[in-house]
Amino acid sequence: YVSFVPDTLVSIVDVRLTPLDSSRTSVEVTYARTALDVAANDQVHAMGKSDGESGPEWQQAIEECLGGQR
């Protein structure tokens, strides 16, 4: 997923799902953000802190998409 806020920032969210076996999947979510203006640096840093705490939200959303299968 790529998001572009003109003159402010660019965000890339990469979600990788890897099957471990017939009933388990490994998920890796990586964020990359770049401020396009020095004025957006604080916003990018704040988003980075928030990103690091979003694991449970990602887990819930992915499990819902997979139909609750584990």
Side-chain angles (χ1 to χ4, degrees), residues 32-70:
R33 300 194 196 277
T34 301
L36 301 176
D37 184 312
V38 70
N41 281 344
D42 289 342
Q43 180 181 2
V44 169
H45 288 291
M47 293 171 91
K49 289 180 90 174
S50 174
D51 294 340
E53 300 168 354
S54 64
E57 292 173 50
W58 276 106
Q59 180 178 0
Q60 180 181 355
I62 290 168
E63 286 178 354
E64 287 176 8
C65 286
L66 295 176
Q69 299 175 12
R70 291 181 182 234

Side-chain angles (χ1 to χ4, degrees):
Y1 172 81
V2 177
S3 173
F4 177 72
V5 180
D7 302 321
T8 305
L9 66 95
V10 175
S11 300
I12 300 171
V13 182
D14 184 36
V15 181
R16 295 177 187 243
L17 288 82
T18 305
L20 299 175
D21 57 36
S22 63
S23 63
R24 296 181 311 140
T25 301
S26 170
V27 179
E28 181 179 345
V29 180
T30 305
Y31 293 83
R33 300 194 196 277
T34 301
L36 301 176
D37 184 312
V38 70
N41 281 344
D42 289 342
Q43 180 181 2
V44 169
H45 288 291
M47 293 171 91
K49 289 180 90 174
S50 174
D51 294 340
E53 300 168 354
S54 64
E57 292 173 50
W58 276 106
Q59 180 178 0
Q60 180 181 355
I62 290 168
E63 286 178 354
E64 287 176 8
C65 286
L66 295 176
Q69 299 175 12
R70 291 181 182 234

